[in-house]
Amino acid sequence: MAELLPNIDVAVSVELVEFLERMARLGEESDKFEVERHCIHPGQRRTDIVNFRLIGKSIREGHGFQLIACDDRPGRVNVEMRAARWLPDPPTKAVYIEAARGLAGELLRQYNREFGSRYRLRIGARHGKAFAMSERTTTLLERFTILANTSSLHFYDWQRFYALVREGRQEIPDYLLRSHLTKAGFSSQRAVELAEIYMHLWAFKKLR
């Protein structure tokens, strides 16, 4: 069973969008990251996401992190580490924290130097048991992966993928979903893309 990964966030005193934009600019100017901005705003709530993908070589394929700000959590920005393939995969808690401090933590230190702040990564424990996939979630996931055309999803593949979110009662962790997708024959890059779509669909589902 995969080791439970910790929650990581940053407590900020400025507007969340302003903080994200400053971090995005620093990431772009560093020439270390490809930076992508996203906004999910289906209703009254808003979620802003900035992706930082490492450009240079790394022992972890597709390495980077996300900053996630939800307007129903003022003053808090979540930090989630990403990799198409961890080493080990899935990552241990220690490896995950080390990655957070090395990437997100370093950019945050640069932010502090430029803006005279004292922000830091807050690393906490996740309470409860390690993630255990239910029989229903397993069935929905297998229904998608077994029948999917891994090189090019067609209409019915997408319908089964949407059902994984619509009918599921569990949100599969990013690293675990990617692991199942690659084992099913998807390329590492395609697994990352599908995991990101899955994450956005779940974010929308939670806002309903």
Side-chain angles (χ1 to χ4, degrees):
M1 186 175 291
E3 188 172 357
L4 201 62
L5 301 177
N7 286 319
I8 303 177
D9 69 10
V10 182
V12 302
S13 57
V14 298
E15 290 293 328
L16 297 181
V17 174
E18 181 180 0
F19 174 77
L20 291 184
E21 184 54 38
R22 287 176 174 179
M23 288 288 282
R25 179 179 60 80
L26 290 173
E28 290 169 336
E29 292 176 351
S30 72
D31 293 326
K32 293 181 179 180
F33 300 99
E34 291 181 359
V35 179
E36 298 175 352
R37 300 163 175 81
H38 302 278
C39 178
I40 303 173
H41 199 181
Q44 294 181 345
R45 297 179 180 177
R46 169 175 171 153
T47 300
D48 288 279
I49 302 171
V50 180
N51 291 332
F52 298 80
R53 288 192 175 90
L54 193 63
I55 296 174
K57 292 183 179 180
S58 172
I59 60 172
R60 305 175 185 104
E61 182 182 341
H63 196 28
F65 67 96
Q66 288 184 319
L67 297 179
I68 305 170
C70 304
D71 61 6
D72 60 345
R73 295 189 70 236
R76 293 289 185 272
V77 175
N78 290 334
V79 180
E80 294 191 8
M81 303 309 299
R82 302 288 179 184
R85 183 173 299 157
W86 289 90
L87 190 65
D89 196 355
T92 64
K93 178 180 177 181
V95 165
Y96 190 83
I97 292 174
E98 177 189 10
R101 288 172 173 162
L103 290 187
E106 176 56 37
L107 194 62
L108 189 60
R109 285 189 287 273
Q110 186 178 342
Y111 179 102
N112 288 335
R113 289 192 294 270
E114 180 158 336
F115 296 101
S117 53
R118 300 179 65 182
Y119 299 150
R120 61 182 180 84
L121 296 179
R122 307 189 321 161
I123 301 173
R126 274 198 177 141
H127 301 290
K129 298 179 180 179
F131 182 84
M133 197 176 299
S134 70
E135 182 178 348
R136 178 58 176 165
T137 302
T138 301
T139 298
L140 290 168
L141 180 58
E142 288 181 346
R143 186 181 298 168
F144 168 67
T145 57
I146 291 174
L147 297 175
N149 181 341
T150 57
S151 60
S152 179
L153 296 181
H154 55 61
F155 175 81
Y156 292 111
D157 291 330
W158 281 113
Q159 294 304 305
R160 287 186 285 269
F161 183 78
Y162 298 147
L164 179 60
V165 178
R166 185 181 63 251
E167 300 175 23
R169 296 184 178 181
Q170 287 181 304
E171 182 178 3
I172 305 171
D174 172 82
Y175 67 88
L176 191 56
L177 178 58
R178 285 186 286 102
S179 177
H180 279 280
L181 292 174
T182 53
K183 288 177 182 177
F186 288 92
S187 67
S188 295
Q189 181 59 38
R190 190 57 171 152
V192 170
E193 293 171 355
L194 287 172
E196 288 190 353
I197 294 172
Y198 177 86
M199 179 199 71
H200 287 300
L201 290 174
W202 260 96
F204 178 78
K205 181 178 178 178
K206 291 175 181 177
L207 292 176
R208 294 177 60 188

